[in-house]
Amino acid sequence: MGGKCPIETTLSLINGKWKLLILKELSQGAVRYGKLGAAIPAVSAKVLTQQLRELDEDGLIVRTVYAEVPPRVEYSLSDMGASIFSVFKELRRWGLEDDGLARGECSFCGQCIPIHGKEKSPQPEREE
């Protein structure tokens, strides 16, 4: 057998306690480091920095440094990072199915669907 399993590859890109929450926050547009930390208060600064670096190195996010004093840094989803939300939508759908396990509920926060540009994606219809 040659090559790595594509599922294993995908999971390795998003493996990390905070990576999914980081991607979810970035799905609504570019965010500065301080706002990310405030949106995910349980993550330490060290771990947030480490996971942002990994996401950047893996091509899921883009780190933009603006030549200002003081320097301003923003994080946003790359095209590859935005494309993973089709996987997240399937996870959401699967989690809402009544399969004998605990019935899933969704708050329909809209953050599992990235916005493109400044135009927000429509809210999904509630699945009963």
Side-chain angles (χ1 to χ4, degrees):
M1 293 217 134
K4 197 172 181 180
C5 169
I7 295 171
E8 183 181 343
T9 300
T10 302
L11 291 176
S12 72
L13 291 174
I14 58 174
N15 185 30
K17 185 172 182 178
W18 306 106
K19 286 184 180 179
L20 294 177
L21 291 176
I22 292 168
L23 292 171
K24 183 177 161 182
E25 290 299 322
L26 296 180
S27 72
Q28 301 305 299
V31 178
R32 294 179 70 173
Y33 179 88
K35 188 173 179 186
L36 268 175
I40 313 169
V43 65
S44 71
K46 176 184 173 185
V47 172
L48 178 59
T49 299
Q50 177 186 18
Q51 300 226 321
L52 286 168
R53 276 193 194 126
E54 290 173 10
L55 288 166
D56 184 33
E57 289 168 5
D58 290 336
L60 293 173
I61 67 170
V62 176
R63 180 179 187 265
T64 305
V65 180
Y66 294 92
E68 300 173 352
V69 178
R72 176 173 50 114
V73 178
E74 288 185 344
Y75 297 90
S76 58
L77 289 176
S78 66
D79 289 341
M80 182 177 156
S83 72
I84 202 160
F85 281 83
S86 62
V87 174
F88 294 166
K89 286 181 198 176
E90 276 302 301
L91 287 171
R92 176 185 169 275
R93 183 198 57 73
W94 184 80
L96 289 171
E97 286 181 353
D98 188 6
D99 59 3
L101 300 174
R103 176 89 175 140
E105 292 185 21
C106 182
S107 65
F108 292 105
C109 64
Q111 289 185 335
C112 53
I113 302 170
I115 58 173
H116 300 282
K118 295 185 180 186
E119 187 177 335
K120 196 166 186 166
S121 297
Q123 293 289 320
E125 291 184 27
R126 183 171 216 117
E127 296 173 15
E128 301 289 334

